Amino acid sequence: MPEPQTHPAVSFDNTAVAFASKSDGELKQMYALFAAMNNKGLVDLGGGMMKRALSWGLPGSKIIIKHTIFKQFCGGETIAECKPVIAELGKFNIGTILDYSVEGEGNEQSFDHTRDELLKTIDLAAGHPHIPFSVFKVTGVADSALLEKIQAKQQLTAAEQQTYDRAMQRIDALCRRAHEKNVRIFIDAEESWFQDTIDDIARDMMRRYNQQRPIVWNTYQLYRHDRLDALKADHDHAVQEGYYVGAKLVRGAYMEKEGRVAQQRGYRNPINPSKQATDDLYDNALRYSIGHIERLAICAGTHNEASSRLLTELLADAGLAPNDERVWFAQLYGMSDNLSYNLAHAGYNTAKYVPYGPVEAVMPYLLRRADENTAIAGQSSREFLLIKREMERRRNKVR
């Protein structure tokens, strides 16, 4: 049994570290943006106006969006535009996970284009000291209707089977390239009515490419009451067949949609009955993962401070170094810098999801981030309060 380690203290309230990369001018811009996002009415009105302005091609609308909310939450429109962001994060020992956030048109041409773009992200990550993972959504390269039909155990037509086979070739091309280049790759989680199909695909890819180390990683949404059981089953299967599991642990992204569809279709809502139940399940998944770290590598994709702190404690108790390659933390670019920068400063493996793509194409993503940072029940968002505190700290330091 390894001896517990004493790890560097981490303060998620240390705004000096959290915003060390931001100049006073940049901090003021962030303050103005998050102040605006604290007004729900303004967010609702502004979101609609931005979408209409872009669709109408109003002069200057794209430039305004690109230099405000897009700049805060995205790395750029292309991989090349993301390179300064990658370098800047790298200065603070934070990795970049390039996330091509374009929602495809659902046809073979768009699926092929997405595959080709994703292959470029893998090639860039290969040997790059500041890009620890690549990532893709199965629905970026495969028809969700077919995934759903397979999960429902419905027979595919001959034409559908050919389409599905081409989708599997795209997925294998991505995972095979990642294996050849020694690049870890996340398969994102999606809606429950075809997640079982994605899980089967991920398990097959892990069996194929994780013989020496965890290259392919599946994602587990712990706001679903069955996901810890799924993680345990995948670990057991890996032990039996002699491969490694990579697991990205998140809380989840489709809560309202999941509840609505469950009600419409008349089955039990897969989402936990309370936030506390989700928090407990997430933390238990962290405990299970560290307890089985020999076969199971994890990335804690979370903005939750309590879960992040728990993982640092679990690492110390298990005698694992903060920078053990099997354990990572990740947050979204433009959010929770108090977690990312302080964890990286203390020596933990930390990365940011950095979305990129044409401004028009990533608008759905940007509007979700705006909604997440809107004031709730009269309270300012956590991001806004931290920025405000850092501005006050800098002012007091000058006096």
Side-chain angles (χ1 to χ4, degrees), residues 312-329:
T312 67
E313 294 167 355
L314 291 171
L315 281 166
D317 292 344
L320 300 173
N323 64 344
D324 189 298
E325 269 296 301
R326 297 167 293 185
V327 181
W328 284 79
F329 297 80

Side-chain angles (χ1 to χ4, degrees), residues 137 187-191 195 198 219-221 248 250 254:
K137 291 178 71 169
I187 298 177
D188 271 346
E190 304 194 50
E191 289 88 343
Q195 182 61 45
I198 293 174
T219 303
Y220 300 82
Q221 300 189 105
K248 176 159 65 81
V250 301
Y254 309 100

Side-chain angles (χ1 to χ4, degrees), residues 273-281 283:
S274 67
K275 182 182 183 302
Q276 188 60 54
T278 293
D279 290 344
D280 291 344
L281 201 64
D283 290 348

Side-chain angles (χ1 to χ4, degrees), residues 3 8 95 122 156 200 240 254 273 302-303 315 351 365:
E3 288 293 321
I122 296 170
L156 300 185
D200 290 342
Q240 292 170 7
Y254 309 100
T302 181
H303 292 198
L315 281 166
Y365 175 85

Side-chain angles (χ1 to χ4, degrees), residues 225 262 266-271 273:
H225 55 73
Y267 60 79
R268 179 188 175 189
N269 190 338
I271 307 301

